[in-house]
């Protein structure tokens, strides 16, 4: 079974939902052959990130999304951060070859969304 290393930006309700969804998808759809391991979470304060990480069983917590993007071995970043951060986080992740799962809205406007899609090769 392949291991998918995931980082999550944000610690609110949507972040909890994404973590749960990744974990359930691996259980409910074993034919996918993927084990999603949530390896790191980021929030604006280290305390918030650590609290979330402890509650959700995530081994690493950071207080800056840039540190999350730099976390070694990430395959995918789930963006559950405020809307105005979707574009810079996604662009930084794509520049490092990391796949992106982004909460809606994708971007603040169509121009940002188009840039994101182009950078990702969509």
């Amino acid at each position: 079974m392949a291991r998918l290393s995931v980082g999550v930006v944000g610690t609110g309700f949507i972040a909890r939902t994404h973590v749960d969804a990744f974990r359930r998808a691996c259980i409910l759809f074993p034919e996918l052959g993927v084990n999603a391991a949530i390896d790191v979470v980021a929030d604006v304060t280290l305390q918030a990130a650590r609290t979330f990480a402890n509650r959700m069983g995530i081994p690493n917590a950071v207080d800056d999304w840039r540190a999350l993007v730099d976390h070694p071995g990430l395959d995918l970043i789930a963006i559950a951060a405020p809307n105005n951060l979707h574009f810079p986080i996604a662009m930084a992740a794509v520049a490092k070859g990391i796949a992106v799962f982004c909460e809606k809205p994708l971007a603040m406007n169509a121009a940002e969304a188009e840039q994101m899609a182009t950078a990702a090769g969509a």
Side-chain angles (χ1 to χ4, degrees):
M1 182 170 288
R3 184 180 191 280
L4 181 70
S5 178
V6 179
V8 178
V9 181
T11 60
F13 172 78
I14 295 301
R16 288 189 305 273
T17 302
H18 289 315
V19 169
D20 187 52
F22 281 116
R23 289 176 174 163
R24 286 178 187 262
C26 294
I27 294 167
L28 295 173
F29 303 102
E31 65 273 14
L32 295 175
V34 175
N35 177 25
I38 314 300
D39 288 323
V40 60
V41 62
D43 203 87
V44 294
T45 70
L46 190 54
Q47 181 178 357
R50 283 185 176 154
T51 298
F52 184 86
N54 290 337
R55 186 175 344 134
M56 302 300 288
I58 299 169
N60 299 289
V62 295
D63 62 355
D64 188 328
W65 64 262
R66 291 166 196 85
L68 184 138
V69 171
D70 288 337
H71 189 81
L74 283 183
D75 299 302
L76 183 137
I77 292 177
I79 303 172
N83 299 345
N84 65 313
L85 294 176
H86 293 185
F87 178 78
I89 296 169
M91 294 299 281
V94 168
K96 289 197 166 236
I98 302 169
V100 173
F101 179 83
C102 189
E103 180 59 21
K104 67 176 179 84
L106 180 62
M108 295 298 289
N109 55 54
E112 282 185 359
E114 187 173 323
Q115 282 182 281
M116 291 163 73
T118 299

